[in-house]
Amino acid sequence: MAVGNSISGATGISGAVASANVGFNVTATFTTATGYSVSVPSGQTRVLRADELFSVKKFDWTTKQSCNTTGLRTASGARLSLPATAVILAITAGLLLSGCTPNGSDAAFSRDPAVDTLPTVGISDGLLTKLPRDLQSHVVASAVGDAAEFAVALHAGECAIAASSNGEAAAAKTSAPSAAGDPVSSPPWAGARNTLGPTSSVDAVVGDTTFTLFCGPKGAGVRIQPGAITSRTGAISTAPESTDGHQNFVVGPSADGS
């Protein structure tokens, strides 16, 4: 005689404590399967009973800052055990943000390879010699005005600006943030994060004029005093003005020449 038996059900791990700590709901699902057979002699009966007992052995939370915002990002390391069977359950709890991944890394930090293939432009020797030697062959944009000019070089996640005003010149260099936790400095215009990704910044000060360079994985931005620039060459376009009237520019693959 053959006896068949099946057991099905659902169980859950309360995420109340975890949810209270991280500020958003935490859930987990899992599946277990086992089998057992027994011979039942004629005229006798057997009772087959299956129980699943779970106990939480460990629950470690890790915190990580990402996407230029503060707060808890990831949780992991829930360990559960069954009789005779060990089950490791990893729980990842992520606060989904635009451009972010649940494990705490920020997809926006990925460098756009198109930045390194932008066409180069020619600039004056006065500006070229101010740039770091390793970036002098990677100048992708320039801009001039009645009393000021600047050029921007981009390559391998590094950005440099050379600027001049009223006969004086200066240069500055910075690198794009490459991971959550790197210093960031957001450009003062709407949509800059989507256009450039997370950015660092550096100033090139020439006399009374400050040229602020923002460097991101998708390109660069430049902020200067009102009315300083009247024409541009290369992969550069205007960005919305700051509330104080300063001129802003985007340099990189997203520049449309406007």
Side-chain angles (χ1 to χ4, degrees):
M1 179 179 69
V3 177
N5 187 27
S6 64
I7 299 174
S8 63
T11 186
I13 302 171
S14 174
V17 175
S19 298
N21 278 276
V22 299
F24 50 88
N25 292 333
V26 175
T27 61
T29 60
F30 55 88
T31 301
T32 61
T34 188
Y36 184 75
S37 62
V38 61
S39 298
V40 181
S42 177
Q44 297 186 23
T45 61
R46 294 288 188 272
V47 176
L48 180 63
R49 178 178 176 177
D51 295 300
E52 292 183 328
L53 301 177
F54 300 88
S55 60
V56 176
K57 298 299 185 183
K58 183 180 180 182
F59 212 109
D60 295 329
W61 293 96
T62 61
T63 64
K64 192 168 186 178
Q65 179 175 334
S66 66
C67 306
N68 295 349
T69 59
T70 58
L72 294 173
R73 284 291 174 268
T74 62
S76 63
R79 181 184 297 270
L80 300 100
S81 63
L82 294 92
T85 305
V87 177
I88 305 300
L89 176 65
I91 300 175
T92 298
L95 179 61
L96 297 178
L97 299 176
S98 176
C100 306
T101 55
N103 65 2
S105 64
D106 189 341
F109 286 98
S110 299
R111 189 158 51 87
D112 185 353
V115 173
D116 293 337
T117 61
L118 292 169
T120 59
V121 299
I123 58 175
S124 65
D125 288 342
L127 288 183
L128 185 64
T129 55
K130 287 290 182 180
L131 289 170
R133 186 175 298 275
D134 60 333
L135 291 177
Q136 289 181 2
S137 60
H138 300 285
V139 178
V140 298
S142 64
V144 299
D146 293 336
E149 65 175 325
F150 69 83
V152 175
L154 307 176
H155 183 65
E158 295 187 330
C159 310
I161 184 170
S164 68
S165 179
N166 296 318
E168 299 181 46
K173 175 184 175 181
T174 186
S175 299
S178 59
D182 286 355
V184 295
S185 179
S186 299
W189 64 84
R193 172 60 182 264
N194 292 332
T195 304
L196 305 176
T199 56
S200 62
S201 68
V202 66
D203 290 337
V205 180
V206 185
D208 296 331
T209 304
T210 299
F211 298 77
T212 302
L213 174 68
F214 298 92
C215 184
K218 302 177 184 179
V222 178
R223 176 181 183 266
I224 58 174
Q225 67 187 38
I229 297 301
T230 56
S231 64
R232 307 173 306 279
T233 303
I236 181 172
S237 60
T238 57
E241 287 186 354
S242 305
T243 55
D244 58 7
H246 277 62
Q247 287 183 286
N248 299 310
F249 300 92
V250 172
V251 180
S254 63
D256 57 12
S258 62

